[in-house]
């Protein structure tokens, strides 16, 4: 079952976030529309994670607002978040996925859990305590748990930052499958290769602002701003 | 001629090894009262402490300060309050449980409640800071959050329960007021130790003291084992 189309677009309207005297986000305005994956790219401290947290109502902006399908807040919105360091509940891998299916009848929940674990390549570790899994396995488990919610929007915050290439490929394959089935993927990453492989749109962020927005192909071949060009060139952009 | 300390200790061991029925009745009642009081307190204190750890409301800091302060409640004052409540002319006098083990359980539960609640609050708050984003992103309902945090902090909360049990098992002032230290009915280890010492029957007092310490060590060892086993299984 898909969410009503009214959940998208997500609109950031002049969103700012101040922590003491530090401006984390400065008047960000952008729109996340249905369709192919969007990558939020930029150096550390650019505000990518904060943007995701604001979209998911995990933080409240100092000024401006975020709307989902024209409505403020995330009430009723179908989304899920995979964090850079996901928290594993103190139970088995299967129970971690089942936790995200509280309203499912028991039999259906078991089936769905098994499907999701299979999808992320963890079926053989279903009964292993989640906290005993490796970093890559935990990230895949977090992805399975997020997908259990059948989100219309899936936010991924540096989902493969500390993973080996094999785990990265598994995670990216699952992301592609989710995107192909209609889930809007919003991925924050510093990994330009990953952004190239996955994203159709790119928002380049720097110092709490969105500097450039555009189609991925155009952005990577002909960036419009000097900062974006420098970042793509591997220069330190501060 | 008065007995030496060594002779007293030997007599205490004789009583223990000889399976003295009076000694064992006292030990049994002590265990029942302390475990029941800890369980009763835990049923209320665990969710209360967790809710306090998770919710924000005006005056919360004051509630936490009072709760923490109550960990040091003077047992005789609690005993006196329960005595007044349960005495024939008191508001709960109709229950008719003054000078019974039930009254002792109630009084000990009141003493133990703030210990378990305060330690639970702190533990759950710590776990919540780790889990907050994940549970919020999963849109977990508030009551399910409480259940999740209590379950995931279960091994740490064993320490809170042990602290509560330790307080209950070592308590003397409250139970002597509301229990009356009636031989064969409400006499527990701590009240018996106080009585036997005042009577000069040091072997029984020492025997009870050794048993009390031994039981507390055993229960702590058991809890430690459960915790290690559980952590090994659940990660």
């Amino acid at each position: 079952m898909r969410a009503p189309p009214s959940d998208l677009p997500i609109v950031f309207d002049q969103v700012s976030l101040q922590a003491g005297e530090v401006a984390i986000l400065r008047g960000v305005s952008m729109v996340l529309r249905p369709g192919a994956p969007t990558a939020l790219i930029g150096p550390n401290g650019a505000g990518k994670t904060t943007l995701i947290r604001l979209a998911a109502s995990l933080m409240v902006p100092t000024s401006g607002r975020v709307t989902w399908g024209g409505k403020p807040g995330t009430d009723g919105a179908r989304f899920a978040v995979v964090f850079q360091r996901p928290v594993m509940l103190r139970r088995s891998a299967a129970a971690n996925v089942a936790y995200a299916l509280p309203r499912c009848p028991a039999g259906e929940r078991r089936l769905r859990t098994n499907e999701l674990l299979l999808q992320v390549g963890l079926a053989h570790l279903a009964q292993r305590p989640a906290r005993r899994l490796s970093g890559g396995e935990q990230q895949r488990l977090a992805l399975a748990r997020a997908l259990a919610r059948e989100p219309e929007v899936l936010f991924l915050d540096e989902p493969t930052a500390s993973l080996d290439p094999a785990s990265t490929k598994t995670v990216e394959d699952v992301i592609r499958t989710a995107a192909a089935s209609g889930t809007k993927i919003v991925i924050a990453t510093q990994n330009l290769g990953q952004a190239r492989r996955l994203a159709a749109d790119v928002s380049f962020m720097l110092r709490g602002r969105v500097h450039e927005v555009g189609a991925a192909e155009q952005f990577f071949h002909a960036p419009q701003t000097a900062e974006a060009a420098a970042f793509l060139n591997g220069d330190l952009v501060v | 001629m008065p007995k030496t300390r060594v002779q007293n200790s030997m007599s205490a061991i004789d009583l223990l090894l000889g399976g003295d029925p009076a000694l064992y009745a006292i030990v049994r009642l002590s265990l029942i009262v302390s475990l029941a009081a800890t369980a009763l307190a835990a049923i209320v204190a665990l969710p209360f402490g967790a809710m306090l750890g998770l919710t924000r409301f005006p005056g919360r800091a004051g509630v936490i300060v009072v709760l923490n302060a109550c960990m040091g409640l003077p047992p005789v004052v609690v005993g006196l309050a329960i005595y007044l409540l349960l005495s024939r002319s008191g508001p709960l006098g109709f229950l008719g449980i003054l000078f019974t083990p039930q009254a002792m359980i109630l009084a000990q539960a009141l003493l133990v409640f703030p210990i378990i609640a305060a330690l639970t609050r702190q533990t759950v708050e710590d776990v919540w800071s780790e889990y907050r984003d994940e549970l919020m992103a999963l849109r977990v309902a508030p009551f399910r959050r409480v259940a999740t945090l209590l379950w995931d902090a279960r091994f740490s909360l064993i320490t809170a329960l042990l602290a509560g049990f330790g307080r209950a098992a070592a308590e003397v002032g409250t139970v002597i007021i509301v229990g009356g230290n009636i031989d064969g009915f409400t006499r527990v280890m701590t009240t018996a130790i106080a009585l036997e010492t005042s009577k000069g029957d040091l072997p029984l007092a020492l025997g009870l003291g050794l048993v009390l310490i031994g039981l507390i060590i055993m229960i702590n060892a058991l809890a430690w084992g459960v915790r290690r086993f559980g952590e090994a299984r659940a990660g």
Side-chain angles (χ1 to χ4, degrees), chain A residues 44-45 56 67-68 70 80 83 88 116 131 137 162 172 174-175 182 196 210 224:
Chain A
N44 261 339
T67 57
W68 285 68
F83 296 97
M88 296 291 108
L116 287 161
R131 292 183 175 215
E137 289 162 348
S162 52
E172 289 186 1
V174 175
I175 293 170
R196 276 198 179 94
V210 175
Q224 302 296 301

Side-chain angles (χ1 to χ4, degrees), chain A residues 53 58 74-77 79-81 83 85-91 98-100 102 129-132 145 149, chain B residues 130-140 144-145 147-149 151-156 231-235:
Chain A
R53 289 169 58 82
L58 298 175
T74 50
D75 283 348
F79 71 89
V81 185
F83 296 97
R85 290 184 193 85
V87 173
M88 296 291 108
L89 302 179
R90 202 182 277 273
R91 51 199 85 189
Y99 185 83
R131 292 183 175 215
R132 292 281 166 81
R145 190 169 61 189
R149 295 175 45 77
Chain B
E130 181 192 352
Y131 279 43
R132 181 187 174 278
D133 284 355
E134 202 73 62
L135 296 190
M136 296 288 277
L138 284 168
R139 316 298 287 274
V140 177
R144 193 163 178 237
R145 278 179 220 160
T148 302
L149 293 174
W151 180 248
D152 276 36
R154 59 195 180 277
F155 302 122
S156 304
E231 280 177 341
R233 279 179 62 89

